[in-house]
């Protein structure tokens, strides 16, 4: 989908926010957008937007102006998620406030911990390296965050640990500088596995990153084995 498509959805929600019961054009835009979303391959992002559109119409039928405004105000920036500008967990505070006011049934299915994979790194991926990058996910899933953090560290370090154990079992390899090729490869594999785990907190850096790290790292490890097995 093009950027303009998501901008139209965003503007439609914004129009309803300012005209809760009279924005016919916005309703037509949302109905058209829903048909286009359903015609494409289903993704977590498309499922979320379809849910927002369906729920928006349900709330419009309730004719409660305050609730219509609150929901439109909550979701009008959610089209920025597929654009790579924000992630779902950045809406944690607003979602929790809406659920406290109108019921926990809203967004119930999307509150579950699910990975979000994408072909390319999102535009806001630089934010993943900030100290508070995990705060939104941690607020919504404090227990799961602890487990995912532990598994992430294990995924990052395990390839290096295994590689070093194998090297210590064959001490003579330390006499050759080629050992660093395999060590660099094990680091790359760890980064690739960590990137996969990061998808659960919606901080995945894209398939390209995963393929380069896992493929390139594995190649270096195998190359090191071949050098020591057949050339030295």
């Amino acid at each position: 989908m093009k950027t303009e498509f998501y901008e139209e959805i965003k503007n439609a929600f914004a129009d309803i926010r300012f005209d809760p019961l009279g924005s016919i054009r916005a309703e037509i835009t949302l109905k058209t957008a829903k048909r286009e979303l359903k015609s494409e391959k289903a993704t977590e992002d498309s499922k979320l937007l379809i849910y927002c559109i369906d729920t928006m119409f349900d709330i419009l039928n309730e004719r409660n102006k305050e609730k219509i405004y609150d929901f439109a105000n909550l979701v009008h920036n959610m089209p920025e998620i597929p654009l790579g500008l924000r992630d779902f967990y950045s809406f944690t505070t607003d979602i929790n406030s809406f659920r406290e006011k109108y019921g926990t049934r809203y967004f119930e299915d999307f509150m579950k911990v699910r990975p979000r994979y994408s072909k390319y790194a999102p535009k806001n991926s630089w934010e993943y390296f900030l100290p508070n990058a995990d705060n939104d996910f941690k607020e919504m899933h404090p227990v799961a965050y602890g487990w995912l953090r532990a598994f992430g560290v294990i995924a990052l370090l395990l390839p290096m640990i295994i590689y070093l154990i194998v090297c210590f079992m064959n001490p003579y390899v330390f006499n050759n500088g080629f050992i660093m090729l395999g060590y660099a490869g094990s680091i790359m594999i760890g980064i690739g596995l960590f990137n996969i785990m990061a998808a659960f907190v919606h901080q995945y850096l894209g398939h390209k990153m995963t393929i380069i790290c896992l493929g390139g790292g594995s190649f270096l490890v195998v190359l090191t084995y071949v050098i020591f097995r057949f050339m030295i």
Side-chain angles (χ1 to χ4, degrees), residues 14 29 32 34 37 57 65 82 87 108 128-129 141 159 176 200 215 231:
T29 298
T32 303
K34 179 183 175 181
L37 287 167
F57 281 110
K65 287 187 177 182
D87 61 74
E108 185 175 13
Y128 300 166
F129 302 95
H141 303 289
N176 196 295
F200 286 89
M231 298 182 183

Side-chain angles (χ1 to χ4, degrees), residues 38-145:
K38 293 186 73 172
S39 68
E40 298 291 327
K41 181 180 178 181
T43 64
E44 289 299 316
D45 292 341
S46 64
K47 291 176 184 177
L48 174 62
L49 290 182
I50 290 173
Y51 171 82
C52 290
I53 293 171
D54 286 340
T55 306
M56 185 78 264
F57 281 110
D58 290 341
I59 294 175
L60 282 169
N61 290 332
E62 296 178 16
R63 313 292 291 181
N64 182 331
K65 287 187 177 182
E66 182 179 3
K67 189 175 182 180
I68 293 171
Y69 174 86
D70 287 344
F71 187 79
N73 189 54
L74 165 63
V75 303
H76 84 280
N77 280 327
M78 285 193 179
E80 293 184 355
I81 296 175
L83 289 175
L85 301 175
R86 293 182 66 172
D87 61 74
F88 176 74
Y89 295 115
S90 66
F91 294 90
T92 295
T93 301
D94 294 330
I95 290 175
N96 286 338
S97 296
F98 187 87
R99 282 160 56 89
E100 288 176 7
K101 188 174 182 179
Y102 297 107
T104 57
R105 68 183 184 278
Y106 292 101
F107 293 96
E108 185 175 13
D109 194 45
F110 296 95
M111 304 293 281
K112 300 174 183 177
V113 179
R114 290 176 175 171
R116 180 187 184 275
Y117 298 105
S118 57
K119 188 175 182 180
Y120 302 104
K123 296 177 183 178
N124 67 330
S125 57
W126 61 272
E127 297 179 359
Y128 300 166
F129 302 95
L130 298 177
N132 61 346
D134 299 333
N135 286 357
D136 293 326
F137 179 87
K138 186 178 180 180
E139 180 183 345
M140 187 176 287
H141 303 289
V143 177
Y145 175 76

